[in-house]
Amino acid sequence: MILSTTCYIQKDGKTLMLYRNKKKNDINKNKWIGLGGKFETGESPEQCLVREIKEEVGVTLTEFKLRGVLTFLTTEILDNPYYVFVYTATEFIGEIGVCDEGTLEWVDTDKIVDLELWEGDRLFWKWVKEEQFFSAYFKYEADVLVEQAVTFY
């Protein structure tokens, strides 16, 4: 099992997105994703979130909200599901820096679905915008979403 966080920092009608174009052998290469990463031993989801955002963009989150939980399975990791805690954030301390994993860009929140996203991301982005708390399951074969389910709370 892999545990991770992803966060969408929002300000003035825009959302900070990461275009993954700098890492070699990156499963997210040429996709737009949120910020975040894997848990370190003993971390809570919130501790992971705050640490990852500080490491990736140099700011400290001060206002954030858990929006949902994702379960990903792929043909490559059927025996090792990937669980992602999805957050949005509206307040932070510091200035957004440079990310060594890709290019950061403030994108009009209403235009995010027009970006090159994973198909599952396109689905859950709608739920994030509608402020519905969700638990979603996505199964991929290679880059193709072949199974999905969601429960709203």
Side-chain angles (χ1 to χ4, degrees), residues 24-153:
K24 295 201 184 277
N25 302 320
D26 185 356
I27 192 169
N28 292 307
K29 186 165 181 61
N30 297 325
K31 300 276 191 204
W32 290 88
I33 63 171
L35 302 163
K38 296 177 186 170
F39 283 41
E40 290 184 352
T41 303
E43 281 186 320
S44 70
E46 293 76 21
Q47 289 168 324
C48 175
L49 172 71
V50 171
R51 177 187 52 76
E52 283 285 343
I53 298 304
K54 181 72 171 173
E55 289 175 3
E56 286 188 0
V57 297
V59 299
T60 301
L61 296 179
T62 57
E63 185 72 33
F64 51 87
K65 181 177 180 179
L66 179 62
R67 307 307 296 277
V69 179
L70 304 170
T71 303
F72 286 105
L73 284 177
T74 69
T75 49
E76 292 82 19
I77 58 166
L78 285 175
D79 59 341
N80 204 11
Y82 204 97
Y83 298 97
V84 182
F85 293 78
V86 179
Y87 290 86
T88 56
T90 54
E91 300 290 332
F92 55 87
I93 298 169
E95 296 295 322
I96 300 292
V98 175
C99 181
D100 62 4
E101 296 181 7
T103 303
L104 295 169
E105 187 174 322
W106 288 101
V107 176
D108 288 335
T109 299
D110 292 338
K111 303 285 185 191
I112 289 177
V113 294
D114 299 332
L115 299 174
E116 183 64 31
L117 305 173
W118 287 100
E119 190 175 350
D121 290 20
R122 197 174 310 286
L123 293 172
F124 80 72
W125 183 248
K126 176 183 173 187
W127 310 327
V128 168
K129 280 185 52 180
E130 293 174 356
E131 298 191 13
Q132 296 178 290
F133 190 85
F134 58 90
S135 176
Y137 168 86
F138 298 123
K139 182 178 178 184
Y140 285 88
E141 289 181 6
D143 289 349
V144 178
L145 182 63
V146 295
E147 189 177 339
Q148 66 181 19
V150 65
T151 302
F152 298 103
Y153 297 95

